[in-house]
Amino acid sequence: MNIEIINIGDELLIGQVINTNSTWMSHELNKAGFNVSRIISVGDNESDILNVLKESTERSQIVLITGGLGPTPDDITMQTLCKFFNTRQVFNEEIYKDLLKMLKKRKISINQLTKEQAFVPENCEVIRNSVGTAPVLWFNHSEKIIASMPGVPFEMQYAMSVNIIPRLIKMFKTELIIHQTVNIFGIPESLLAEKISEWETNLPPFIKLAYLPEYGKIRLRLTATGNDKNTLEAAIFENIKMLFPLIADNIYGFRDETVQEMLLRFLKNYNGTISTAESCTGGYISHLITSVPGASECFKGSIVAYSNQLKTNLLDIKEKDLLKYGAVSKKVVEQMALSVCKKMGTDYAIATSGIAGPTGGSPQKPTGTVWIAWAGKGKVVSEKFQMGDDRQRTIIRTAETAIIKMKLMIELDHTDLSSE
């Protein structure tokens, strides 16, 4: 069952407001078994809205609209819908009572603009909005469903969750849609596609594969569609098992979560703690980790030692090693990881040192050269990377690579322990 989403508002087209509504709606509709075939943003312009409505209703059986139902003159969705459906606006006493009740709670007097929100299209079913002033409008038109909701995110989410999706589920039989993510790192998208091409070709017709690349990593999303949950889950599981011999070293997880959420989940599972010593990433690893609620259970702190002087003073890096090997070296980054691990009293530590660019590179150490070290359980390992010549990309890729490989190290430690 295909659905089109139309988001109305000039603010969406000029970049003033990020369109989070369509993302949320698509996710929730997909969970309910509905496929969103198109997402359209259109400004507060009557002719544009009419054209989009005509095209969408010709293509799809269900069209969901958000935005433009407010009380101000730039909100023209209500009038435009009346024109599209060749109807007029009529006063709805129940909506007016809801408005009075809501505004009374807020100690606000009703004015003419707000009162006009009680005027609704004559030929639609009005769904009362218990969390806002603009009602939800439900049209049955030529065997098509058109529903118009407020653009305020929490009002739209309430309407979708309580009214729209439950109604659609009752009206239409949908297939189950099951997603499974395989998280990949350390391999370019084109090489990955080449390595798994035969596996991809042999996927059953009810499983679709999507490549979702990001800086330094790729999410493979398998989507299975059908009627039996157990059959779909078993098919996905069997096909992922066949993927392992091809790219086992590049798989770091299977959940649809950020790398920092994954790391903290593992640390909490094993009651582990972590700290960081950062140079080229400038605290970005710490930022990612502390962006996760509850990070304080595992994350103890960071030393951002950008200069060689601070590397010596705060992390006890030997001056002779800095002079002989340079800050961007195996010798120095491993000392950084071991030192911060000891000073913070943590089970594990990550350290980074590199040349983020665009300047500072040399023939021996070009821009994008990065050393990362991981310490834990009394040992330290490190690896050299070439992250490219874009500063921001280098910082992001370094931080996420450091986190991913830290997770793998923790996992390996505990796998070894459990097998003894």
Side-chain angles (χ1 to χ4, degrees):
M1 180 61 61
N2 288 334
I3 293 180
E4 294 198 24
I5 296 172
I6 300 174
N7 302 117
I8 297 174
D10 289 341
E11 66 277 8
L12 302 175
L13 300 182
I14 64 174
Q16 188 177 29
V17 172
I18 297 173
N19 185 2
T20 58
N21 280 356
S22 58
T23 302
W24 189 91
M25 292 169 72
S26 298
H27 184 262
E28 295 302 308
L29 288 163
N30 192 258
K31 285 198 303 184
F34 295 96
N35 177 59
V36 176
S37 59
R38 279 181 179 81
I39 297 173
I40 302 165
S41 293
V42 62
D44 297 299
N45 179 282
E46 183 181 276
S47 62
D48 289 343
I49 296 171
L50 289 171
N51 287 335
V52 167
L53 281 169
K54 182 178 183 296
E55 293 166 2
S56 294
T57 52
E58 287 173 353
R59 281 189 302 251
S60 300
Q61 193 167 358
I62 303 168
V63 178
L64 303 180
I65 306 165
T66 68
L69 293 178
T72 55
D74 62 319
D75 292 310
I76 62 170
T77 300
M78 187 87 72
Q79 305 93 293
T80 307
L81 285 170
C82 285
K83 190 166 186 177
F84 181 76
F85 290 111
N86 193 27
T87 188
R88 64 191 181 104
Q89 287 181 256
V90 294
F91 183 75
N92 186 298
E93 186 66 36
E94 296 301 320
I95 298 298
Y96 184 64
K97 289 178 181 177
D98 289 342
L99 287 172
L100 290 174
K101 186 177 179 181
M102 179 171 291
L103 294 175
K104 185 178 180 181
K105 283 183 181 178
R106 299 176 183 175
K107 297 181 180 179
I108 300 172
S109 300
I110 194 165
N111 60 24
Q112 186 57 37
L113 282 176
T114 307
K115 182 179 179 180
E116 286 180 7
Q117 294 199 281
F119 287 84
V120 297
E122 188 174 29
N123 65 344
C124 77
E125 179 185 351
V126 178
I127 300 172
R128 292 156 76 177
N129 179 0
S130 60
V131 295
T133 57
V136 177
L137 312 176
W138 180 281
F139 297 86
N140 284 292
H141 174 72
S142 301
E143 299 183 350
K144 304 290 179 78
I145 299 298
I146 299 93
S148 183
M149 294 162 279
V152 180
F154 79 89
E155 293 187 39
M156 175 278 297
Q157 291 173 16
Y158 182 86
M160 286 288 293
S161 301
V162 175
N163 304 117
I164 305 300
I165 292 177
R167 283 185 175 217
L168 294 177
I169 290 172
K170 287 181 181 179
M171 294 177 66
F172 301 100
K173 179 176 174 57
T174 60
E175 291 185 307
L176 287 170
I177 301 174
I178 295 177
H179 299 289
Q180 177 61 55
T181 300
V182 182
N183 296 309
I184 311 291
F185 83 111
I187 183 171
E189 184 181 7
S190 57
L191 181 55
L192 173 64
E194 185 178 53
K195 291 186 75 168
I196 68 173
S197 60
E198 186 176 348
W199 171 85
E200 183 178 354
T201 301
N202 291 320
L203 285 172
F206 59 88
I207 296 181
K208 290 184 177 181
L209 181 70
Y211 294 76
L212 306 172
E214 300 175 45
Y215 285 147
K217 61 186 191 295
I218 302 165
R219 286 180 296 150
L220 291 179
R221 188 191 65 224
L222 287 84
T223 301
T225 306
N227 296 310
D228 185 81
K229 182 180 180 181
N230 292 333
T231 300
L232 298 179
E233 288 179 343
I236 286 180
F237 178 75
E238 288 301 318
N239 279 278
I240 289 177
K241 274 205 316 185
M242 290 187 279
L243 190 61
F244 263 87
L246 305 174
I247 53 167
D249 291 341
N250 301 105
I251 296 174
Y252 70 86
F254 300 93
R255 297 194 184 191
D256 196 7
E257 60 187 352
T258 64
V259 294
Q260 57 267 27
E261 288 171 337
M262 173 193 68
L263 175 62
L264 286 168
R265 177 167 54 84
F266 266 73
L267 285 166
K268 288 177 183 178
N269 285 346
Y270 300 122
N271 296 313
T273 56
I274 193 167
S275 56
T276 67
E278 300 186 55
S279 183
C280 65
T281 45
Y284 189 66
I285 298 173
S286 306
H287 161 70
L288 290 178
I289 293 172
T290 56
S291 68
V292 181
S296 59
E297 293 179 41
C298 306
F299 181 70
K300 299 307 174 186
S302 176
I303 294 175
V304 180
Y306 214 63
S307 70
N308 284 354
Q309 183 181 4
L310 287 183
K311 288 181 177 69
T312 300
N313 294 344
L314 298 181
L315 292 168
D316 303 326
I317 306 303
K318 298 173 184 176
E319 285 189 38
K320 65 176 184 178
D321 289 335
L322 284 166
L323 290 170
K324 182 176 180 180
Y325 302 104
V328 183
S329 64
K330 176 183 178 71
K331 190 81 171 177
V332 168
V333 80
E334 288 187 355
Q335 287 181 55
M336 290 170 64
L338 288 169
S339 179
V340 77
C341 199
K342 182 179 178 181
K343 287 179 180 292
M344 298 284 182
T346 55
D347 299 304
Y348 298 97
I350 297 169
T352 63
S353 187
I355 305 164
T359 60
S362 68
Q364 294 76 29
K365 296 178 182 179
T367 299
T369 301
V370 174
W371 276 95
I372 307 175
W374 302 267
K377 307 296 183 184
K379 62 184 179 183
V380 63
V381 294
S382 60
E383 190 173 346
K384 181 182 178 182
F385 297 88
Q386 179 49 246
M387 297 296 187
D389 57 5
D390 180 271
R391 184 179 183 84
Q392 190 62 24
R393 185 168 63 239
T394 292
I395 292 170
I396 294 171
R397 289 182 66 182
T398 299
E400 295 203 333
T401 300
I403 290 172
I404 289 168
K405 300 203 86 167
M406 185 80 266
K407 175 261 183 184
L408 295 175
M409 180 177 173
I410 295 168
E411 189 175 29
L412 184 61
D413 280 346
H414 290 275
T415 300
D416 289 344
L417 286 171
S418 63
S419 63
E420 289 179 353

